[in-house]
Amino acid sequence: MHSTQDDNTVSNPALLRVKQLSIHNETGHRLVKDLSFDVYPAQTVAIVGESGSGKSISVLALLGLLPNNLTVQGQVEFAAQALLSLSPIQLQQVRGKRIAIIFQEPMTALNPLHRVEKMMAESLILQGVSTADIRQQTLSLLQDVGIAEAAQILKCYPHELSGGQRQRVMLAMALALEPEVLIADEPTSALDVTVQLQVLAILDDLVSRRGMSLIFISHDLQVVRALCHQVIVLKQGEVVEQGECQSVFSAPRHEYTRQLLALG
């Protein structure tokens, strides 16, 4: 797995730039303060912090997915677009297709009334895949995310799958649209340790093989240790530490970072 920043981040421009992102609630209370980071092609950026640190609402803000009672300020640039200025219709052209997101609990994203094959087909139709090619593409995507028994899984409903299988199916559906950036919000928290490691290895392999960028959200600093190039540590909405993964892990400067490392 990755442990240092790839050389291509030096030669290539940032794919996603977040500058001074701040989020306030309706009473004016600040939930996130001045979050800034860049994401380069084929790079993994981890945002780490305890529950309530602001990590999840920060990435939801990038895609306009926060409730209306929250106010977002700052700049978010993606492929020469100012995301925070886009209309809802313009944002729909970015969400899923160019920036995809997967969540901790796949059952919230998977339709319990449909078999995996139908859900996967819907994603591929959006990508313009012909009906004749859908089954082969579906099998290929499931194999890409570590599902060996892909043909059997296609026949299943979500409730018939294990937690790890559901997480992989959700990941395959996100990858069907060939996003340039994948946001993974606590994708391994509900899994046992063995399956967790398998999913992390799959994500790492996808970044390397597809050249996809990954924003990985976690409360567990140890989980991201072998996965990320850059790490951002949030505490109560503020960045307390930020830098190359190797540097942060070998010489953490902030006491909060040291506490998170000690929990691992």
Side-chain angles (χ1 to χ4, degrees), residues 137-203:
Q137 287 252 22
T138 300
L139 291 171
S140 178
L141 281 164
L142 290 177
Q143 289 161 359
D144 238 14
V145 297
I147 293 180
E149 64 283 16
Q152 185 61 38
I153 292 295
L154 286 179
K155 303 173 186 176
C156 296
Y157 291 95
H159 71 271
E160 297 175 311
L161 305 177
S162 69
Q165 287 170 330
R166 286 195 292 265
Q167 191 63 267
R168 289 179 173 92
V169 168
M170 186 168 64
L171 178 56
M173 288 171 61
L175 294 175
L177 299 180
E178 299 182 359
E180 293 150 80
V181 179
L182 175 67
I183 299 171
D185 190 358
E186 298 271 13
T188 61
S189 297
L191 307 175
D192 65 49
V193 174
T194 301
V195 179
Q196 185 180 84
L197 290 172
Q198 291 170 356
V199 172
L200 290 173
I202 289 166
L203 287 170

Side-chain angles (χ1 to χ4, degrees), residues 53-65:
S53 62
K55 55 191 188 297
S56 291
I57 63 170
S58 294
V59 293
L60 291 175
L62 307 183
L63 295 175
L65 293 174

Side-chain angles (χ1 to χ4, degrees), residues 14-34:
L15 180 61
L16 177 69
R17 308 201 91 157
V18 178
K19 301 177 183 178
Q20 304 291 297
L21 183 74
S22 295
I23 304 170
H24 297 80
N25 65 14
E26 66 273 19
T27 67
H29 177 68
R30 187 175 58 210
L31 304 176
V32 175
K33 177 186 177 184
D34 296 336

Side-chain angles (χ1 to χ4, degrees), residues 118-137:
K118 182 171 182 179
M119 290 186 285
M120 293 285 297
E122 288 175 350
S123 294
L124 289 168
I125 289 168
L126 287 173
Q127 187 65 10
V129 176
S130 68
T131 305
D133 294 333
I134 280 178
R135 182 173 174 82
Q136 187 52 48
Q137 287 252 22

